[in-house]
Amino acid sequence: MINDPLRLEQLLDDVRQFVREVAMPAERAVSEAGAIPPAIVEEMRGRGYFGWSIPAEYGGAGLSTEELALANIELSQCTVAFRSRVGINTGIGTEALVQDGSEELKRRYLPGLASGRLTGCLALTEPEAGSDASALQATGQPLGDGRYRLDGRKRYITLAPIADVFTVLVRTGDASLRGADAATAFLVERGTPGLSTPPETPKMGQEGAPIGEVHLDNCVVDESRIIGRLHGGFRTVLKVLNKQRINLAALSTGPAIRMLDEALSYVLERKQFGQPIGSFQLVQAMLADCKVDIEAARALILDTARKRDRGEDVTMEVSLCKYLATEMCGRVADRVVQIFGGQGYVKERIIEQFYRDVRALRIYEGTSQIHQLNIARLLLQRSEVKA
Ligand SMILES: Cc1cc2nc3c(=O)[nH]c(=O)nc-3n(C[C@H](O)[C@H](O)[C@H](O)COP(=O)(O)OP(=O)(O)OC[C@H]3O[C@@H](n4cnc5c(N)ncnc54)[C@H](O)[C@@H]3O)c2cc1C
């Protein structure tokens, strides 16, 4: 759903200009420093990027799912760190609050998150609870006076080392319960005694988008910090992920577009056997396969976004999008490294960084295998209903 075509076109033009003139020239420096310079974060704040998905009444832009997907496809055409810095606030770091937060929590935190003054994050994954989120071991014990004591360890949490506001999921139900009614989401602010974040966890790529652990040790919070209802945390997180999987699919399409653009320039510039390598049909086939992959993903993502905006059930479609687009991006990265030959493998060109950066897309927010399982489960359920 496009709310305001003119406003959207202005936004997309602004993002294209930011990517081309601000982010792309800084990609190498951000990767080497492992951080985005504060001036660029300020620039993104000034341009209003942090508030894209937050409703206007709390200071955001209130973009629809389709508008957000289009903006994400543009912003993700630079290396992942830039969109990750913004994307947690326009995705998993705020969506629980937007969907299920109390009015008090929304008024207190959403304006700061929308402006980028505050940085959010979602802390779900634990050492023993990855794909099987229902196995989480962090706990929230009622103290009997309207407060809860949170204990446990979260890991691989994007932006945890620099976040101000943490949406954490902990077990509040009976230890024997798994799944739907066992967990609660709490909003915890940095500075709350008992919450700490060790230094970032080193990783393969996405330098400048730190991930790390969140430690909860006797961290006491008031019940007013519950997002949604007590024991309803998985339902809240499911709502977040339902939308986020469309976002992530869009964020996997931008890097593929950029890599194909880089390849198109290179095949005209690089000569072998006395001709540009773009004149070789085997190279052309790789270019064509990248284009087919990108357009198929883009079409599915925008179609799904429109369905979600119309209020349709997109449980199956979001898995299709996430699985298709992240695998697509991996295939494009692999082909483009091949097209660059040795130049695709050395650090002189940006392609080796994209190759490393996009590898994580197939792992987080549900691995490819988990999405295959979701799709098959829903297919089988629906066919049983018909039978
Ligand atoms: C860069 C990065 C950023 C992240 N950011 C966040 C974040 O912000 N917040 C957060 O909460 N988490 C985050 N994560 C964690 C991420 O969501 C998990 O890594 C992911 O869910 C997989 O869990 P796991 O790593 O424990 O792998 P595991 O669950 O141990 O999976 C290992 C392998 O087993 C396969 N597997 C598991 N179960 C099945 C099954 N039933 N059938 C078939 N195959 C199966 C998986 O597909 C995978 O191939 C991030 C991870 C990374 C790498």
Side-chain angles (χ1 to χ4, degrees):
M1 178 175 71
I2 307 291
N3 288 318
D4 182 343
L6 188 63
R7 191 187 68 148
L8 178 67
E9 216 29 68
Q10 282 166 350
L11 170 67
L12 298 181
D13 280 345
D14 182 73
V15 180
R16 286 182 199 116
Q17 190 241 345
F18 170 81
V19 166
R20 207 174 45 244
E21 293 175 20
V22 182
M24 282 167 58
E27 285 175 331
R28 185 69 71 195
V30 165
S31 170
E32 282 166 8
I36 303 179
I40 296 186
V41 177
E42 276 309 302
E43 169 109 34
M44 293 192 285
R45 286 187 59 190
R47 290 173 183 250
Y49 293 178
F50 285 87
W52 283 348
S53 63
I54 294 174
E57 58 191 299
Y58 304 107
L63 297 187
S64 68
T65 317
E66 184 182 1
E67 292 170 331
L68 183 60
L70 289 164
N72 278 335
I73 289 173
E74 295 300 332
L75 184 59
S76 56
Q77 292 182 36
C78 44
T79 52
V80 171
F82 298 92
R83 69 79 173 161
S84 186
R85 185 68 186 82
V86 168
I88 302 297
N89 277 29
T90 60
I92 55 175
T94 59
E95 193 61 24
L97 199 52
V98 169
Q99 295 263 353
D100 281 348
S102 67
E103 197 50 35
E104 184 198 335
L105 286 179
K106 285 181 177 173
R107 297 241 164 258
R108 185 153 169 198
Y109 291 105
L110 286 179
L113 289 160
S115 73
R117 183 175 55 76
L118 297 175
T119 297
C121 72
L122 174 70
L124 176 61
T125 305
E126 297 180 5
E128 301 308 324
S131 298
D132 183 7
S134 68
L136 56 85
Q137 294 178 352
T139 53
Q141 294 290 341
L143 294 177
D145 59 357
R147 296 183 307 157
Y148 283 79
R149 194 187 81 204
L150 314 184
D151 291 283
R153 293 275 180 279
K154 300 288 179 180
R155 72 171 180 185
Y156 307 155
I157 307 307
T158 303
L159 301 195
I162 60 167
D164 305 288
V165 184
F166 300 72
T167 301
V168 294
L169 206 74
V170 295
R171 178 176 294 284
T172 44
D174 189 299
S176 62
L177 282 177
R178 286 172 66 83
D181 292 322
T184 302
F186 286 86
L187 195 77
V188 188
E189 203 177 312
R190 185 180 290 282
T192 308
L195 180 140
S196 60
T197 55
E200 76 174 275
T201 306
K203 56 187 179 343
M204 178 192 286
Q206 303 197 358
E207 294 90 356
I211 65 170
E213 297 185 4
V214 178
H215 294 182
L216 300 162
D217 298 296
N218 194 6
C219 176
V220 176
V221 292
D222 192 78
E223 63 188 356
S224 61
R225 297 203 152 258
I226 291 175
I227 301 178
R229 51 170 199 83
L230 181 66
H231 309 318
F234 281 120
R235 287 199 179 85
T236 294
V237 166
L238 210 64
K239 285 190 214 168
V240 172
L241 292 180
N242 247 345
K243 180 167 181 205
Q244 178 62 16
R245 284 163 179 169
I246 305 174
N247 295 347
L248 192 66
L251 293 167
S252 305
T253 306
I257 293 171
R258 167 73 181 283
M259 288 186 281
L260 177 57
D261 283 349
E262 296 283 336
L264 286 167
S265 304
Y266 189 69
V267 298
L268 298 176
E269 156 200 332
R270 173 71 176 163
K271 289 199 173 114
Q272 284 294 280
F273 300 97
Q275 348 172 11
I277 60 170
S279 65
F280 301 130
Q281 288 179 336
L282 292 178
V283 172
Q284 291 175 5
M286 289 193 276
L287 296 172
D289 286 350
C290 289
K291 182 67 175 164
V292 171
D293 267 349
I294 290 167
E295 294 308 329
R298 191 196 328 241
L300 179 67
I301 292 162
L302 294 179
D303 186 53
T304 303
R306 286 180 208 116
K307 283 185 180 158
R308 184 179 184 276
D309 285 334
R310 289 198 296 267
E312 293 176 30
D313 175 10
V314 288
T315 318
M316 158 104 77
E317 285 79 357
V318 298
S319 272
L320 297 177
C321 286
K322 203 280 176 180
Y323 178 49
L324 179 83
T326 57
E327 291 284 335
M328 171 283 282
C329 191
R331 285 196 297 274
V332 169
D334 193 64
R335 285 188 205 112
V336 172
V337 168
Q338 196 66 20
I339 290 170
F340 272 79
Q343 283 282 292
Y345 195 71
V346 297
K347 288 197 182 283
E348 253 171 86
R349 303 264 179 177
I350 203 72
I351 287 305
E352 69 82 31
Q353 186 178 337
F354 270 94
Y355 184 80
R356 289 183 291 109
D357 278 0
V358 303
R359 186 60 187 86
L361 302 173
R362 290 145 65 191
I363 296 172
Y364 50 53
E365 289 167 33
T367 64
S368 291
Q369 291 68 41
I370 293 303
H371 288 289
Q372 285 176 301
L373 292 175
N374 276 351
I375 295 161
R377 182 177 47 80
L378 289 165
L379 275 176
L380 291 167
Q381 263 175 17
R382 287 172 193 184
S383 101
E384 260 175 30
V385 170
K386 272 194 212 145

